[in-house]
Coordinates of all heavy atoms in Angstrom, one line a residue:
R1 N 0.8 -1.2 0.0 CA 0.0 0.0 0.0 C 0.9 1.3 0.0 O 0.6 2.2 -0.7 CB -0.9 0.0 1.2 CG -2.2 -0.8 1.0 CD -3.2 -0.5 2.1 NE -2.7 -0.5 3.5 CZ -2.7 -1.5 4.3 NH1 -3.1 -2.7 3.8 NH2 -2.2 -1.5 5.5
R2 N 2.0 1.3 0.7 CA 2.8 2.4 0.9 C 3.6 2.7 -0.5 O 3.8 3.8 -0.9 CB 3.8 2.3 2.0 CG 3.2 2.4 3.3 CD 4.3 2.3 4.4 NE 3.7 2.4 5.7 CZ 4.4 2.2 6.9 NH1 5.7 2.0 6.7 NH2 3.8 2.3 8.0
L3 N 4.1 1.6 -1.0 CA 5.0 1.8 -2.2 C 4.3 1.6 -3.6 O 4.8 2.0 -4.6 CB 6.2 0.8 -2.1 CG 7.1 1.0 -1.0 CD1 8.2 0.0 -1.0 CD2 7.7 2.4 -0.9
G4 N 3.1 1.0 -3.6 CA 2.5 0.6 -4.8 C 2.2 1.8 -5.7 O 2.2 1.7 -6.9
T5 N 1.9 2.9 -5.1 CA 1.6 4.1 -5.9 C 2.9 4.9 -6.3 O 2.8 5.7 -7.2 CB 0.7 5.1 -5.1 OG1 1.3 5.5 -3.9 CG2 -0.6 4.4 -4.8
R6 N 4.0 4.5 -5.7 CA 5.3 5.2 -6.0 C 6.2 4.4 -6.9 O 7.0 5.0 -7.6 CB 5.9 5.6 -4.7 CG 5.2 6.5 -3.8 CD 5.9 6.8 -2.5 NE 5.0 7.5 -1.7 CZ 5.3 7.8 -0.5 NH1 6.4 7.3 0.1 NH2 4.4 8.5 0.2
L7 N 6.2 3.1 -6.7 CA 7.2 2.3 -7.5 C 6.4 1.1 -8.1 O 5.5 0.6 -7.6 CB 8.2 1.7 -6.5 CG 9.1 2.6 -5.7 CD1 9.9 1.9 -4.7 CD2 10.0 3.4 -6.7
P8 N 6.8 0.7 -9.3 CA 6.2 -0.4 -10.0 C 6.8 -1.7 -9.4 O 7.7 -2.4 -10.0 CB 6.6 -0.2 -11.4 CG 7.9 0.5 -11.4 CD 7.8 1.4 -10.1
I9 N 6.3 -2.2 -8.3 CA 6.8 -3.4 -7.7 C 5.8 -4.5 -7.9 O 4.6 -4.5 -7.6 CB 6.9 -3.2 -6.1 CG1 7.9 -2.1 -5.8 CG2 7.3 -4.5 -5.4 CD1 8.0 -1.8 -4.3
D10 N 6.4 -5.6 -8.5 CA 5.6 -6.8 -8.8 C 5.6 -7.9 -7.7 O 4.6 -8.5 -7.5 CB 6.1 -7.5 -10.1 CG 5.9 -6.6 -11.3 OD1 4.9 -5.9 -11.3 OD2 6.7 -6.7 -12.2
V11 N 6.8 -7.9 -7.0 CA 6.9 -9.0 -5.9 C 7.6 -8.4 -4.7 O 8.6 -7.7 -4.8 CB 7.8 -10.2 -6.4 CG1 8.0 -11.2 -5.3 CG2 7.2 -10.8 -7.6
I12 N 7.0 -8.6 -3.6 CA 7.6 -8.3 -2.3 C 7.8 -9.6 -1.6 O 7.0 -10.5 -1.6 CB 6.6 -7.4 -1.4 CG1 6.3 -6.1 -2.2 CG2 7.1 -7.2 0.0 CD1 5.2 -5.2 -1.5
T13 N 9.0 -9.7 -1.0 CA 9.4 -11.0 -0.3 C 10.0 -10.7 1.0 O 10.6 -9.6 1.2 CB 10.3 -11.8 -1.2 OG1 10.6 -13.0 -0.5 CG2 11.6 -11.1 -1.5
T14 N 9.8 -11.6 2.0 CA 10.5 -11.5 3.2 C 12.0 -11.8 3.0 O 12.3 -12.6 2.1 CB 9.9 -12.4 4.3 OG1 9.9 -13.7 3.8 CG2 8.6 -11.9 4.7
H15 N 12.9 -11.2 3.7 CA 14.3 -11.4 3.5 C 14.8 -12.8 4.1 O 15.7 -13.4 3.6 CB 15.0 -10.2 4.1 CG 16.5 -10.2 3.8 ND1 16.9 -10.0 2.5 CD2 17.6 -10.4 4.5 CE1 18.3 -10.0 2.5 NE2 18.7 -10.2 3.7
Y16 N 14.3 -13.0 5.3 CA 14.7 -14.3 6.0 C 13.5 -15.3 6.1 O 12.4 -14.9 6.3 CB 15.1 -13.9 7.4 CG 16.3 -13.1 7.5 CD1 16.2 -11.7 7.8 CD2 17.6 -13.5 7.1 CE1 17.3 -10.9 7.8 CE2 18.7 -12.7 7.1 CZ 18.6 -11.4 7.5 OH 19.6 -10.5 7.5
P17 N 13.8 -16.6 6.0 CA 12.7 -17.6 6.2 C 12.1 -17.5 7.5 O 12.8 -17.2 8.5 CB 13.4 -18.9 5.9 CG 14.7 -18.6 5.2 CD 15.1 -17.2 5.7
D18 N 10.9 -17.9 7.7 CA 10.2 -18.0 9.0 C 10.6 -19.3 9.7 O 11.4 -20.1 9.2 CB 8.7 -17.8 8.8 CG 8.0 -18.9 8.1 OD1 8.7 -19.9 7.8 OD2 6.9 -18.7 7.7
A19 N 9.9 -19.6 10.8 CA 10.2 -20.8 11.6 C 10.0 -22.1 10.8 O 10.5 -23.1 11.0 CB 9.3 -20.8 12.8
D20 N 9.1 -22.0 9.7 CA 8.8 -23.2 8.8 C 9.7 -23.2 7.7 O 9.5 -24.0 6.7 CB 7.4 -23.2 8.4 CG 6.4 -23.3 9.5 OD1 6.7 -24.0 10.5 OD2 5.3 -22.7 9.5
H21 N 10.7 -22.3 7.7 CA 11.7 -22.2 6.6 C 11.0 -21.7 5.3 O 11.5 -22.1 4.2 CB 12.4 -23.5 6.3 CG 13.1 -24.1 7.5 ND1 14.3 -23.5 8.1 CD2 12.8 -25.1 8.4 CE1 14.6 -24.1 9.2 NE2 13.7 -25.1 9.4
S22 N 10.0 -21.0 5.4 CA 9.2 -20.4 4.3 C 9.6 -19.0 4.1 O 9.8 -18.2 5.1 CB 7.8 -20.6 4.4 OG 7.5 -22.0 4.4
V23 N 9.6 -18.5 2.9 CA 9.8 -17.1 2.6 C 8.4 -16.6 2.0 O 7.9 -17.3 1.1 CB 10.9 -16.9 1.5 CG1 11.0 -15.4 1.1 CG2 12.2 -17.3 2.1
L24 N 8.0 -15.5 2.5 CA 6.7 -15.0 2.1 C 6.8 -14.2 0.8 O 7.8 -13.4 0.6 CB 6.1 -14.0 3.1 CG 4.9 -13.2 2.8 CD1 3.7 -14.2 2.6 CD2 4.6 -12.2 3.8
L25 N 6.0 -14.5 -0.2 CA 6.0 -13.7 -1.5 C 4.6 -13.0 -1.5 O 3.6 -13.6 -1.4 CB 6.1 -14.6 -2.7 CG 7.5 -15.3 -2.8 CD1 7.4 -16.2 -4.1 CD2 8.6 -14.3 -3.0
N26 N 4.6 -11.8 -1.8 CA 3.5 -11.0 -2.1 C 3.5 -10.5 -3.5 O 4.4 -9.7 -3.9 CB 3.4 -9.8 -1.2 CG 2.1 -8.9 -1.4 OD1 2.1 -8.2 -2.4 ND2 1.2 -9.0 -0.4
I27 N 2.7 -11.1 -4.4 CA 2.8 -10.9 -5.9 C 1.6 -10.1 -6.4 O 0.5 -10.4 -6.1 CB 2.9 -12.2 -6.6 CG1 4.0 -13.1 -6.0 CG2 3.1 -12.0 -8.1 CD1 4.1 -14.5 -6.5

């Protein structure tokens, strides 16, 4: 919401895996 109007971002991802060793992708 903060960057969507300012930058053309297709994918946002977490930098470090969580406790389940998963990385979050927001596409």
Side-chain angles (χ1 to χ4, degrees):
R1 279 195 311 269
R2 286 184 185 173
L3 296 179
T5 58
R6 298 179 186 171
L7 297 172
I9 297 175
D10 294 328
V11 178
I12 296 172
T13 181
T14 52
H15 190 67
Y16 298 104
D18 63 13
D20 296 324
H21 306 287
S22 295
V23 173
L24 173 68
L25 293 177
N26 180 288
I27 304 169

